[in-house]
Amino acid sequence: MEEWVGYKWHEYITRQALGEFPEHAVYLKDEARSLGIVFRAFGGDPALSLVTAEPRHFRLRRKFLHKLAGTHRKFELAWRDDQNLRLPEKVARFPSKQLNRDLYIWLAALAATPPPADSDWFTGNQALVQDVLSRWPGLENVYQRLVKHVLYWRPDPDSLTDPESIREQAICQALIHPGSVPALPSADTDPWPVILWLYPALEQGKASGQVTGDEDTQSSPGGLTKKNKRKQAERVEAFDRDQGLMIFRLESLFSWTEFIPVDRAGDDTDEEDAEAVANDMDMISVSNDRKEASSAIKFDLDLPSEEHDDLHLGPGIHLPEWDWRSQSYREAFCCLQPLLAKDAVPAELPEVLRRPAKRLQRQFSALKPLKQWQKRQLDGDELDLDACLEREVQHRRGQGIIDQKLFRRCQQSQRDLACLVLADISLSTETYINNQQRVIDVARDGLQLLSEALQASRDPFALFAFSSRRRDHVRFHHLKSFDEPYTSTIRGRIQALEPGFYTRMGAAIRQATKLLETRHEHQKILLLLTDGKPNDLDIYEGRYGVEDTRMAVQEAQRAGLTPFCVTIDDEASEYLPYVFGSSNFVVIRDPAQLPLQLPKLYLNLTQ
């Protein structure tokens, strides 16, 4: 009973201190899709990802109720950098859902406009608001409604000290009339947060150097992800467990200190409430606690040994990679290694796929080349009996003009296209989509059914799969080339595919483009089958990987190819329109339907 009363008291005090309207709350996860469209419609950078903002500390003069509830120390505010647009996870400040939603829309419009150069936070936001309102006059009413409620929420200047009061009045004046206040007056505390403005990007922490095992990489301390909030990080000296003097009796020890040295490289067990603890921490400390002997012998357990690896087809192919930060190519930056499955055995089509395969074969057989006879030709393969008979009749009747076109010629009607299918077999394809199937299972079934259909249509096609482990090891699995017939050997290679490593998509697309460029067909299709975003262990993460993949797709389009992406990633609509274009991708909502949908998509793409 006491615990229940305490919980209810805490809930009541916190709700009163926050001054929010939880019944009118609007969440970013529900608005993300529409906000992404609005952001890009306002001219925002389409490469930016929409993610939640982490709380930042403020030194405010808090009321007694705020201190009692422990609130108003951290606030989630909007900001952007080169990779992400960060917005509050929840907006419940205003007494209506429409107003809370308008705040999201206003922040998206504000972030879509490039910030003024050489301006501070205070004057820069005023100039930014002026620019947005001049470019989009329809937002004037939205802004004025938001300002009205924000001013009501802000502290009363009469309750503050003189410097803080002057500063608060300047901020209110800047909100009502943007551009009217040239500078922000100074005070001892931080200004009360302005939720209508953008804030500077948070520092990434004091971490420096490389994390053990990440050679030639630049680790991003406090990593950015779509679903987790970013944390500040610092690199600290190793904890010396052999030093120190205990000046108390051990039996009097009743608690643990906050610093507990745990060797995470050797302890992979899950800790209870570890995620909740990490969310409560403002800064995560990473210690370089490694003995010299541990680096004397280095094993790479990610890659298979040469004895158990697939057959290497040549020494490797060096490919460039696009660096969006310098807007230039890094020549010969990636090493792509063609591979051929060593242990794959010839196999027949699985029993469960034979019925849909026969149905697809009947459907696609209508596309195969047919013989068409052109009649009444001056020359040809054989005589046209109808034309000869008519000529004889004309001759007997004594008609003056007699048709001399007495032959017929056979012409093959043929689809002038070639297709290369590129399948992503990264570690994420190990994920189960139901109790029986993994992503890799449905991908293999899809490749086999599509191959059976293309075999019936006689369209030239090739099959490859890829994964990667950093830039110097991009694995390019050879399944079927254009010149190979589709046999049980090819089926065995497809069935031998297993998940492994990561998704350096740009290098695989560039190699596939090279292979398709050698074909003489008029229409060349590059069909990419994937389940997620480009990523790798090194810098190939976030915007870097997306920009490189986008550049590889543009290279394929300039070469006359038609790149098309088929994905089962629910979040693909946030980045694939930027990478492939609005009409060059499709999202399969039910991954189990991929094997049957893939041939249908190919039909729609080629007819």
Side-chain angles (χ1 to χ4, degrees):
M1 184 63 180
E2 292 179 0
E3 183 180 352
W4 181 83
V5 172
Y7 174 76
K8 289 300 180 181
W9 171 253
H10 170 73
E11 189 179 51
Y12 172 77
I13 291 297
T14 303
R15 184 169 61 250
Q16 293 298 319
L18 288 175
E20 294 184 341
F21 302 88
E23 66 275 12
H24 300 297
V26 177
Y27 293 88
L28 181 61
K29 64 180 181 180
D30 301 325
E31 304 294 327
R33 188 177 299 275
S34 58
L35 281 178
I37 297 174
V38 169
F39 175 70
R40 290 162 179 81
F42 281 125
D45 190 343
L48 294 185
S49 300
L50 192 63
V51 295
T52 56
E54 63 277 10
R56 61 175 75 200
H57 279 277
F58 281 82
R59 297 182 298 107
L60 303 175
R61 192 175 301 279
R62 299 186 296 162
K63 299 179 180 179
F64 172 75
L65 186 59
H66 299 161
K67 297 178 181 179
L68 181 63
T71 59
H72 293 76
R73 291 181 300 178
K74 296 188 293 186
F75 296 84
E76 291 183 2
L77 300 166
W79 59 277
R80 58 167 287 179
D81 56 15
D82 292 336
Q83 307 240 12
N84 303 284
L85 166 59
R86 294 188 173 269
L87 299 176
E89 185 178 14
K90 178 186 71 172
V91 175
R93 178 58 58 187
F94 306 124
S96 75
K97 283 194 173 182
Q98 185 57 48
L99 274 173
N100 291 322
R101 191 173 289 110
D102 286 345
L103 177 57
Y104 272 137
I105 295 175
W106 169 254
L107 292 174
L110 206 63
T113 304
D118 301 331
S119 61
D120 59 16
W121 166 79
F122 184 69
T123 58
N125 272 289
Q126 293 184 75
L128 201 58
V129 171
Q130 288 180 303
D131 186 47
V132 170
L133 294 180
S134 64
R135 293 175 58 193
W136 313 104
L139 291 175
E140 179 71 37
N141 292 334
V142 174
Y143 178 71
Q144 294 301 332
R145 287 198 305 269
L146 292 173
V147 168
K148 177 183 176 181
H149 285 83
V150 165
L151 293 178
Y152 177 80
W153 171 73
R154 295 191 65 80
D156 184 4
D158 296 336
S159 64
L160 303 175
T161 62
D162 289 342
E164 294 173 356
S165 177
I166 296 174
R167 183 183 60 189
E168 180 62 27
Q169 291 175 10
I171 292 177
C172 293
Q173 177 69 17
L175 286 171
I176 298 173
H177 302 291
S180 61
V181 185
L184 180 66
S186 61
D188 294 335
T189 60
D190 292 331
W192 202 264
V194 184
I195 60 177
L196 295 183
W197 288 353
L198 297 180
Y199 275 72
L202 285 176
E203 296 295 331
Q204 293 187 347
K206 296 177 286 186
S208 61
Q210 298 175 357
V211 178
T212 303
D214 287 355
E215 70 263 15
D216 77 355
T217 68
Q218 296 178 352
S219 176
S220 175
L224 297 173
T225 60
K226 280 187 63 59
K227 298 182 180 178
N228 298 326
K229 297 179 182 178
R230 191 174 82 165
K231 294 291 183 181
Q232 288 186 325
E234 64 175 353
R235 189 81 65 185
V236 298
E237 295 299 326
F239 179 76
D240 192 351
R241 54 177 60 89
D242 297 330
Q243 295 183 2
L245 175 65
M246 292 186 297
I247 58 175
F248 57 87
R249 299 176 62 185
L250 286 178
E251 54 266 27
S252 66
L253 182 64
F254 62 92
S255 64
W256 290 41
T257 62
E258 293 184 2
F259 191 97
I260 302 175
V262 179
D263 187 1
R264 291 299 176 195
D267 182 8
D268 293 331
T269 57
D270 294 332
E271 282 196 16
E272 189 176 354
D273 297 331
E275 183 176 358
V277 172
N279 289 334
D280 291 337
M281 298 176 66
D282 297 321
M283 181 171 292
I284 298 177
S285 300
V286 182
S287 172
N288 288 322
D289 191 7
R290 291 290 181 272
K291 302 294 184 182
E292 186 67 25
S294 64
S295 60
I297 301 177
K298 181 179 179 181
F299 293 97
D300 196 339
L301 300 181
D302 286 340
L303 298 178
S305 63
E306 185 176 355
E307 180 182 357
H308 297 90
D309 199 4
D310 293 332
L311 296 174
H312 288 218
L313 304 179
I317 303 170
H318 289 87
L319 298 170
E321 190 166 272
W322 175 255
D323 187 348
W324 69 276
R325 297 166 301 188
S326 62
Q327 292 293 300
S328 62
Y329 283 99
R330 308 174 84 170
E331 297 297 336
F333 190 70
C334 298
C335 181
L336 182 138
Q337 179 60 62
L339 299 170
L340 184 65
K342 180 190 298 184
D343 300 327
V345 296
E348 296 301 322
L349 195 66
E351 183 66 30
V352 68
L353 298 180
R354 292 182 182 178
R355 177 174 293 182
K358 289 183 179 179
R359 184 169 62 251
L360 288 172
Q361 287 170 351
R362 289 195 298 269
Q363 183 179 3
F364 275 70
S365 62
L367 303 176
K368 66 183 180 181
L370 299 176
K371 289 184 177 180
Q372 292 183 345
W373 289 97
Q374 294 180 328
K375 297 183 178 182
R376 300 183 183 277
Q377 303 294 317
L378 290 175
D379 56 65
D381 301 323
E382 58 186 43
L383 288 173
D384 186 347
L385 296 182
D386 292 337
C388 292
L389 181 60
E390 184 175 345
R391 180 180 183 280
E392 185 64 22
V393 172
Q394 292 174 350
H395 178 71
R396 290 179 178 272
R397 290 179 177 178
Q399 296 179 356
I401 301 176
I402 299 177
D403 192 359
Q404 302 296 325
K405 299 179 180 180
L406 304 178
F407 297 89
R408 66 175 188 168
R409 184 186 303 118
C410 181
Q411 185 177 10
Q412 293 283 114
S413 62
Q414 187 172 354
R415 287 157 52 92
D416 191 20
L417 63 88
C419 177
L420 188 148
V421 184
L422 187 60
D424 168 18
I425 57 169
S426 58
L427 283 170
S428 57
T429 58
E430 183 75 28
T431 307
Y432 276 84
I433 60 173
N434 51 44
N435 292 333
Q436 293 83 27
Q437 291 177 302
R438 302 171 297 169
V439 174
I440 189 66
D441 298 327
V442 297
R444 286 194 298 245
D445 292 348
L447 290 175
Q448 291 184 97
L449 285 182
L450 180 61
S451 299
E452 296 289 337
L454 295 182
Q455 180 72 6
S457 69
R458 297 184 185 177
D459 289 342
F461 70 100
L463 304 175
F464 295 89
F466 74 97
S467 64
S468 66
R469 188 186 178 278
R470 296 194 177 94
R471 64 183 180 88
D472 55 352
H473 193 83
V474 182
R475 301 168 68 86
F476 198 74
H477 297 264
H478 178 103
L479 304 178
K480 178 190 177 300
S481 65
F482 286 104
D483 300 329
E484 289 181 281
Y486 181 68
T487 62
S488 58
T489 302
I490 307 302
R491 297 190 191 97
R493 294 175 187 170
I494 297 175
Q495 295 176 17
L497 289 176
E498 287 295 336
F501 315 112
Y502 301 90
T503 317
R504 208 174 198 97
M505 202 174 287
I509 292 177
R510 288 186 176 91
Q511 178 62 16
T513 300
K514 285 186 176 182
L515 295 175
L516 270 173
E517 281 183 311
T518 62
R519 300 296 301 178
H520 63 275
E521 285 80 6
H522 177 71
Q523 185 179 8
K524 305 171 187 179
I525 298 174
L526 173 55
L527 189 60
L528 176 65
L529 181 60
T530 183
D531 70 327
K533 210 172 183 179
N535 70 92
D536 209 332
L537 283 173
D538 52 16
I539 58 177
Y540 207 84
E541 190 70 48
R543 185 171 181 178
Y544 185 98
V546 170
E547 292 284 358
D548 176 61
T549 304
R550 180 172 183 260
M551 183 58 66
V553 170
Q554 292 179 352
E555 293 169 13
Q557 292 171 342
R558 288 195 294 266
L561 278 59
T562 305
F564 193 87
C565 180
V566 181
T567 182
I568 59 174
D569 185 9
D570 292 334
E571 299 170 347
S573 57
E574 298 182 10
Y575 60 90
L576 280 188
Y578 178 69
V579 176
F580 283 88
S582 58
S583 59
N584 292 333
F585 74 95
V586 66
V587 181
I588 306 295
R589 298 300 178 184
D590 183 5
Q593 296 298 316
L594 176 65
L596 296 177
Q597 293 296 325
L598 198 56
K600 296 179 181 178
L601 290 170
Y602 177 82
L603 270 182
N604 295 333
L605 193 61
T606 58
Q607 285 185 339

